[in-house]
Amino acid sequence: MSADKKTTTDRLKVRKTYKLYVNGAFVRSERGRYLTQMDAKGEFVSNYSWASRKDFRDAVVAARKAFSGWSKRSAFNRSQILYRAAEMLEDRREVFEGHLAELIGLKTPAARREVDAAIDRFVYFAGWADKYGQILSSVNPIGAPYFNFSMPEPTGVVTVFASRNSPLVGIVAAIAPVILSGNTVIVVVENQAPTLSIDLAEVLATSDLPAGIVNILTGRRAEIIPFAAEHMDVNAIASFGSDNDERRTIQEMASDNVKRVHFDDDPAIKDWHSSDHESLYKIVPFIEIKTAWHPIGV
């Protein structure tokens, strides 16, 4: 058959290579390891990278380097960037709906609801970015000639082990409450459709988000947990749906370096679309309250 008579059925499909998202770039695992993404029917879809200890360390270096600039940005600017992520996700909703249907078998209404919830979650936390400080700050009464102010500040570099049961909304819920206050994050993803987190990384990469603020590693969370818990440059760990062994490992190893730890129960029946996940108190585990004293002028 001549070239001009070829039909679309003759064309070989270009399969996507799903890499890690570190320091604003899409990179292969340093060990070259990969896992296989299957669809809802058990058929091969793609390979995706399996992160190693070195990949995690690279992500921490990137997150630490980005922290200073990100935390010094105005709260309004961080709000704008989160809202931009919602805009870009809205533009690509058909891609995400298609992947949700292909990978986990969601029907069209359910896939649309999942994408809607992810977009709305970005918008919700974008709204809090320049407001949470006023709510959580205070002027404290004291019996001395001083002003005493308590103000929230970002914790620093946070490692999040994302939900196993919500491959899109659960990832957004892991990212947005952390970065809105000026933290940087390494998200470790292991679920039924981890490639969706890299699709989401492509949204973030085009959302004016500086490199290193969000880093996404796919692979085995049990392998990364000890490295995260013992790493001296990780300030906090948040884990969604940890079993007892994971909790014990995190708590014991994090206690050696006085790392902040937050657990969020995530049973399979948890409704990630519930308004319970849209709360100021989802931000609180990732901030620290600092108090300043100032003499009262004469």
Side-chain angles (χ1 to χ4, degrees):
M1 181 182 294
S2 62
D4 60 338
K5 291 184 179 180
K6 283 188 176 181
T7 65
T8 56
T9 57
D10 297 317
R11 181 180 175 275
L12 292 176
K13 183 177 181 180
V14 178
R15 294 198 177 272
K16 187 171 183 177
T17 301
Y18 284 88
K19 303 175 184 178
L20 309 175
Y21 183 59
V22 177
N23 200 27
F26 294 90
V27 298
R28 299 178 189 275
S29 172
E30 58 91 22
R31 290 189 182 181
R33 300 184 303 175
Y34 66 90
L35 296 165
T36 301
Q37 174 72 70
M38 311 301 283
D39 65 16
K41 298 178 181 178
E43 297 179 357
F44 175 83
V45 175
S46 64
N47 294 323
Y48 63 94
S49 292
W50 178 354
S52 68
R53 179 179 188 175
K54 176 63 164 56
D55 297 317
F56 177 77
R57 290 169 60 190
D58 289 346
V60 174
V61 170
R64 176 57 62 191
K65 182 179 179 181
F67 173 71
S68 178
W70 181 243
S71 61
K72 290 176 182 176
R73 289 195 177 218
S74 71
F76 180 65
N77 181 243
R78 292 197 294 269
S79 174
Q80 289 177 307
I81 290 172
L82 281 170
Y83 189 83
R84 177 64 173 167
E87 292 178 338
M88 299 306 294
L89 184 52
E90 182 79 62
D91 280 349
R92 298 190 61 193
R93 64 161 42 256
E94 291 183 1
V95 172
F96 281 86
E97 288 174 9
H99 287 178
L100 285 164
E102 177 186 20
L103 300 180
I104 61 177
L106 291 187
K107 301 297 184 183
T108 299
R112 185 176 298 121
R113 181 169 177 257
E114 182 81 1
V115 177
D116 286 345
I119 295 167
D120 293 348
R121 201 62 51 84
F122 270 131
V123 173
Y124 176 84
F125 284 109
W128 270 117
D130 59 351
K131 301 175 183 66
Y132 79 95
Q134 293 93 312
I135 304 298
L136 298 177
S137 298
S138 64
V139 179
N140 308 312
I142 57 171
Y146 299 94
F147 291 113
N148 183 267
F149 305 97
S150 293
M151 299 159 289
E153 294 186 0
T155 293
V157 175
V158 180
T159 297
V160 175
F161 295 95
S163 167
R164 290 185 173 98
N165 302 307
S166 181
L168 182 56
V169 180
I171 306 300
V172 175
I175 293 172
V178 177
I179 66 172
L180 72 83
S181 60
N183 296 302
T184 55
V185 66
I186 301 104
V187 186
V188 181
V189 180
E190 179 185 3
N191 56 39
Q192 186 180 355
T195 54
L196 278 170
S197 67
I198 304 303
D199 290 328
L200 183 63
E202 294 175 359
V203 168
L204 297 174
T206 54
S207 300
D208 302 325
L209 189 72
I213 309 304
V214 174
N215 305 274
I216 300 178
L217 306 179
T218 52
R220 302 299 189 202
R221 59 189 275 167
E223 179 180 343
I224 301 298
I225 281 175
F227 307 145
E230 70 181 2
H231 201 299
M232 297 297 292
D233 211 20
V234 173
N235 301 107
I237 289 178
S239 184
F240 292 82
S242 292
D243 59 31
N244 290 336
D245 289 340
E246 289 179 343
R247 283 176 177 255
R248 187 180 304 109
T249 299
I250 292 171
Q251 289 172 327
E252 289 178 355
M253 299 186 74
S255 66
D256 289 339
N257 48 64
V258 199
K259 195 187 309 296
R260 177 175 290 197
V261 174
H262 170 71
F263 294 107
D264 192 321
D265 291 331
D266 178 23
I269 61 173
K270 188 169 187 176
D271 182 8
W272 279 97
H273 304 97
S274 168
S275 60
D276 292 342
H277 300 288
E278 294 184 341
S279 168
L280 169 66
Y281 297 103
K282 295 297 180 180
I283 304 168
V284 171
F286 311 110
I287 59 172
E288 299 177 3
I289 302 298
K290 301 293 180 70
T291 299
W293 296 71
H294 194 281
I296 298 175
V298 178

